[in-house]
Amino acid sequence: MAKLYFRYGAMNSGKSTAMLQAAYNYEERGQHVLLAKPAIDTKGADEISSRLGVSRPVDFLIAPDDDVRALFAEHRARVRRDADASLVPESNEHPVDIACLLIDEAQFLTRDQVDDLLRIVVLEGIPVIAYGIRTDFQTQAFPGSRRLLELAHSLEELKTICRCGRKAIYNARLVGGRFVFDGDQVAIDELSTARVTYESLCAEDYLRASGGRLG
């Protein structure tokens, strides 16, 4: 049975690397995958990039008002057409289909778009693996992550460490190298006049940096 997977972790826990590895594993076995990410994530434009220097283009971007199931159907049909065009007439090869849909930065999806992912899994029989972070720099859940935590068949935490060596679970925002705890939920460096970066922290170091503030 196909399942909806949510693989989450703090910043720099290797989510994009894990996603690219999953895509490679499918394709090494001759299977086809589709890769997508929300259009709001302008880092790397239409690419998925890992900190290890590996990258590849996405098959489609998801705008905030997009119907993800319809987008998936469109690109699934394209893959099938391209495969059919390459087959020798009267070939005995099996029809090509998508083995898995992989979503990067899934926290930026809307609630309705996560619902679409579940429909793809249940009604189309295609596994979906979504990668993202649970909470923002104020420890508040992103709408997409909250819905994935509610709906996913399988939850898997990808771990990383804090500067102190403990497990990091929170994402702290820095502007110009200084921690900030106020501002919009989404602040991507390319859209900002000041340099925006993030650091993964354990609970102790997050509270120390925020002066005990949560949210």
Side-chain angles (χ1 to χ4, degrees):
M1 182 185 77
K3 293 182 179 180
L4 173 59
Y5 300 85
F6 183 33
R7 296 177 178 170
Y8 63 89
M11 301 286 290
N12 299 324
S13 57
K15 296 179 295 297
S16 295
T17 301
M19 178 176 171
L20 293 172
Q21 181 66 54
Y24 176 84
N25 290 345
Y26 275 103
E27 292 171 342
E28 187 180 36
R29 291 159 177 77
Q31 298 179 312
H32 295 263
V33 296
L34 287 174
L35 277 64
K37 73 173 186 176
I40 193 173
D41 177 36
T42 58
K43 301 189 305 296
D46 59 352
E47 283 190 340
I48 294 169
S49 301
S50 80
R51 289 184 298 144
L52 300 182
V54 181
S55 64
R56 65 178 280 174
V58 297
D59 293 287
F60 60 94
L61 296 171
I62 305 167
D65 295 328
D66 280 343
D67 180 322
V68 178
R69 190 179 176 197
L71 273 176
F72 171 75
E74 175 187 340
H75 289 275
R76 182 187 194 184
R78 171 183 57 78
V79 169
R80 287 171 160 175
R81 285 196 305 271
D82 292 348
D84 288 344
S86 67
L87 289 178
V88 176
E90 300 180 3
S91 168
N92 291 324
E93 290 189 43
H94 296 294
V96 166
D97 201 359
I98 299 301
C100 187
L101 172 62
L102 300 163
I103 307 286
D104 198 26
E105 304 292 356
Q107 70 271 7
F108 295 137
L109 297 176
T110 67
R111 177 186 177 92
D112 289 343
Q113 288 171 338
V114 174
D115 290 352
D116 281 340
L117 297 184
L118 185 66
R119 293 185 184 100
I120 290 169
V121 170
V122 175
L123 303 179
E124 308 292 341
I126 304 297
V128 176
I129 308 177
Y131 295 81
I133 59 178
R134 287 187 306 169
T135 58
D136 63 18
F137 73 111
Q138 295 176 317
T139 69
Q140 302 296 312
F142 284 95
S145 299
R146 181 184 295 114
R147 192 60 172 156
L148 280 161
L149 289 167
E150 293 168 345
L151 293 184
H153 295 90
S154 175
L155 302 172
E156 178 184 346
E157 184 178 15
L158 304 178
K159 299 177 178 62
T160 190
I161 59 171
C162 176
R163 57 172 69 177
C164 68
R166 298 187 183 98
K167 175 184 168 184
I169 54 177
Y170 299 123
N171 307 293
R173 178 182 293 173
L174 299 94
V175 177
R178 300 184 63 180
F179 287 114
V180 298
F181 296 92
D182 292 296
D184 295 335
Q185 186 174 56
V186 179
I188 296 171
D189 189 30
E190 287 81 351
L191 303 179
S192 175
T193 55
R195 178 159 176 76
V196 178
T197 58
Y198 293 88
E199 183 177 349
S200 304
L201 297 176
C202 67
E204 290 85 349
D205 281 330
Y206 183 92
L207 288 173
R208 186 175 297 113
S210 70
R213 177 178 174 180
L214 288 170

